[in-house]
Amino acid sequence: MSTLSLAERRERQLAHERERAAHLAQRGGRVRDRRTTPELRAIALESEGKFADGDTDALLAWVAEEFGDLTAVACSMADAVLPHVVARHIPWVDTLFLETGYHFAETLGTRDAVESSMQLTIVDVQSRQSVAEQDARYGERLYERDPALCCQLRKVEPLTETLGGYEAWITGVRRDDSPLRADTPFVTWDEKNGLVKINPLADWTLDQVLAYAAEHDVILNPLLNDGYPSIGCAPCTRRVAPGEDPRAGRWAGLDKSECGLHT
C-alpha cells in the first residue's frame, strides 16, 4: 500500500499530467506529413521477414525510428502490458481505446488507472452515434440481433477513421489467442486500414503476458482474475470455465469469434 499522503499523490498526478502536456506540445512542433499508401505498403512488405525471430525490443526500436509519433497502440484494457512494452521505446505513444459505450465498469476503471499512471496518451475512439442514437435507428440490443453490425458501427468504423492519421498501428494479437490467429506475423500490411500493422507480442503466451505484468507491476483488469481471460463489451462477454478456450466467453452461443478489427 502506498505511504504517500493525499497531497503527495495529487502532486505526483499533476506532475504526470504536466509531463504529458509538455510532450504533446513538443510533438506538435515536429509532426511530419503521413507518407503515401504505396510508400507504407512498400515498407511493410520489405520488413515482413526481418523480425521473424520474435525480438520484441528490436522490432519496437525499428518502429520508433521508422514511424515515431505516427504510431498508435490499440489497447482493450484487459491489461496494459502492450502499451507498457511500447512506451519503453515510444514514450507517450497514442493509445487507442475503443469506447463502445458497453464496457464493464472494471474496464473503464482500468483505462483511467492506465492513463493516470503510465507514459502514454489515451485516445478515446468513439462511434459517431451514441448508444441511444444507435438504438433509435436500429432498435435496442442490436448486439443480440446483429452482433456483426454492432461491432462494425461501434468498433471497426471508428477505428478505421482514427487510424487514417497514423502510419502504423500496434496490436496485442497473439498466436495463442485462437486458431484463427495462429499464423499472426510480427509485421504485415493492413490492406483494410491502409497502414502498417505491428504485432510485437505475436509469439507471447498468456503466461508470459502475466509474468511481464507481475515483474513490471503493470495494471491488469480485475476481471482477468474473475474468470474473464478475454474481455470485450459487457453484454457480449461471459466468464470462461476452467479448461475452456480463453475466447469461449466472447459472443457465446453465436457464430462469431472476432469483432472484425483483425480480419
Side-chain angles (χ1 to χ4, degrees):
M1 182 176 294
S2 174
T3 58
L4 296 176
S5 68
L6 179 60
E8 289 171 326
R9 290 198 297 271
R10 178 58 179 161
E11 179 52 40
R12 176 177 288 186
Q13 182 60 41
L14 290 173
H16 185 75
E17 293 171 1
R18 287 194 295 268
E19 188 176 352
R20 179 186 288 116
H23 168 79
L24 292 175
Q26 183 182 42
R27 187 170 80 178
R30 64 172 186 261
V31 171
R32 58 176 173 79
D33 291 337
R34 184 183 189 274
R35 283 171 285 192
T36 66
T37 297
E39 288 174 322
L40 294 174
R41 182 187 292 111
I43 292 170
L45 296 178
E46 180 184 350
S47 305
E48 281 183 349
K50 287 184 178 179
F51 304 98
D53 61 355
D55 187 332
T56 302
D57 286 328
L59 171 58
L60 291 175
W62 170 75
V63 172
E65 181 177 357
E66 185 68 51
F67 305 110
D69 293 329
L70 291 179
T71 305
V73 177
C75 185
S76 66
M77 297 301 164
D79 62 74
V81 167
L82 178 65
H84 187 277
V85 171
V86 176
R88 293 164 61 182
H89 296 272
I90 313 174
W92 302 108
V93 63
D94 282 0
T95 301
L96 311 184
F97 174 63
L98 290 172
E99 174 46 290
T100 64
Y102 289 119
H103 282 300
F104 289 98
E106 291 87 346
T107 299
L108 296 177
T110 300
R111 176 228 175 274
D112 293 344
V114 166
E115 183 177 41
S116 67
S117 63
M118 292 179 58
Q119 259 195 330
L120 50 78
T121 304
I122 295 289
V123 177
D124 287 321
V125 178
Q126 297 176 296
S127 171
R128 290 180 178 271
Q129 292 182 318
S130 67
V131 170
E133 290 169 337
Q134 178 175 294
D135 288 349
R137 179 171 180 180
Y138 297 97
E140 295 183 1
R141 296 187 295 279
L142 178 64
Y143 49 80
E144 293 180 350
R145 293 176 287 103
D146 193 341
L149 177 58
C150 190
C151 285
Q152 180 71 22
L153 294 172
R154 309 214 68 76
K155 293 184 176 181
V156 178
E157 291 179 3
L159 181 64
T160 296
E161 183 176 344
T162 301
L163 288 177
Y166 299 95
E167 292 187 337
W169 71 305
I170 301 176
T171 86
V173 172
R174 303 195 319 275
R175 293 168 183 166
D176 74 344
D177 282 333
S178 72
L180 291 175
R181 299 180 176 187
D183 297 321
T184 296
F186 293 102
V187 180
T188 190
W189 173 246
D190 183 348
E191 187 68 44
K192 181 170 65 175
N193 291 303
L195 76 172
V196 184
K197 186 176 182 180
I198 317 292
N199 305 300
L201 309 186
D203 64 346
W204 287 34
T205 64
L206 178 58
D207 286 343
Q208 285 176 290
V209 171
L210 297 177
Y212 181 97
E215 179 182 355
H216 298 279
D217 196 25
V218 176
I219 295 169
L220 297 176
N221 190 318
L223 291 173
L224 287 177
N225 293 318
D226 191 24
Y228 294 88
S230 181
I231 304 167
C233 293
C236 302
T237 308
R238 66 160 173 81
R239 288 182 175 85
V240 172
E244 271 194 296
D245 184 289
R247 290 182 65 83
R250 304 289 296 277
W251 305 285
L254 300 172
D255 184 23
K256 180 177 173 63
S257 60
E258 295 282 350
C259 62
L261 297 177
H262 304 295
T263 57

